[in-house]
């Protein structure tokens, strides 16, 4: 499985960005693709996820501001980030977990469930 993120950048607070995660090589039908972010000096945080059966989750910190979607024809997962805040600054990485879909609710934010990660795209929000 290969994952390539794009769409990060430098924006001002209140602005929007759309991140993309292009993936390939997934062999199962029960996978989940998630976005994690890591701010400087902080641990990795799961922020949004979508499973192959359409289940979606958001972290409380991004709920109502971020929207995740997938284009199965293009094998791309998008993360639209609106009303960006200074605390949204960090490196955003997408990750895939083969087989997670049936256990999505219980394990979606567990980093150990993900065996494929992208290199990440940097998001910087300035005041």
């Amino acid at each position: 499985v290969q994952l390539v993120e794009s769409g990060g950048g430098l924006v001002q607070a209140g602005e929007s960005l759309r991140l993309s995660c292009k993936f390939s090589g997934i062999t199962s039908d029960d996978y989940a693709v998630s976005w994690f972010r890591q701010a400087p000096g902080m641990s990795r945080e799961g922020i949004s996820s979508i499973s192959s059966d359409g289940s979606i989750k958001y972290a409380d910190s991004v709920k109502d501001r971020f929207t995740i979607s997938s284009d199965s024809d293009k094998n791309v997962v998008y993360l639209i980030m609106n009303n960006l805040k200074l605390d949204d600054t960090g490196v955003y990485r997408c990750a895939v977990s083969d087989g997670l879909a049936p256990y999505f609710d219980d394990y979606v934010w567990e980093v150990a469930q993900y065996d494929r990660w992208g290199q990440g795209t940097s998001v910087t929000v300035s005041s």
Side-chain angles (χ1 to χ4, degrees):
V1 177
Q2 291 187 326
L3 301 161
V4 179
E5 304 98 332
S6 61
L10 171 63
V11 296
Q12 291 190 320
E15 293 184 337
S16 300
L17 280 174
R18 187 182 79 164
L19 305 183
S20 300
C21 172
K22 172 74 173 173
F23 59 91
S24 61
I26 295 178
T27 57
S28 81
D29 294 326
D30 295 320
Y31 61 89
V33 180
S34 298
W35 286 96
F36 290 79
R37 73 181 175 196
Q38 189 162 16
M42 304 290 285
S43 57
R44 197 173 303 179
E45 172 192 20
I47 58 170
S48 188
S49 183
I50 187 166
S51 72
S52 52
D53 62 5
S55 297
I56 287 175
K57 266 194 181 294
Y58 297 100
D60 288 342
S61 58
V62 306
K63 201 174 295 184
D64 299 326
R65 298 188 298 122
F66 290 11
T67 302
I68 193 169
S69 63
S70 66
D71 184 332
S72 57
D73 290 337
K74 297 180 180 179
N75 283 351
V76 179
V77 169
Y78 301 101
L79 185 67
I80 296 174
M81 308 187 294
N82 294 322
N83 190 22
L84 283 161
K85 302 178 179 181
L86 299 182
D87 288 347
D88 294 320
T89 293
V91 176
Y92 286 67
R93 300 177 71 184
C94 63
V96 166
S97 176
D98 267 329
L100 185 62
Y103 316 100
F104 188 73
D105 286 342
D106 293 329
Y107 299 108
V108 63
W109 300 136
E110 291 200 9
V111 171
Q113 293 293 327
Y114 296 85
D115 50 5
R116 294 291 185 270
W117 293 81
Q119 291 298 309
T121 185
S122 180
V123 172
T124 303
V125 184
S126 65
S127 59

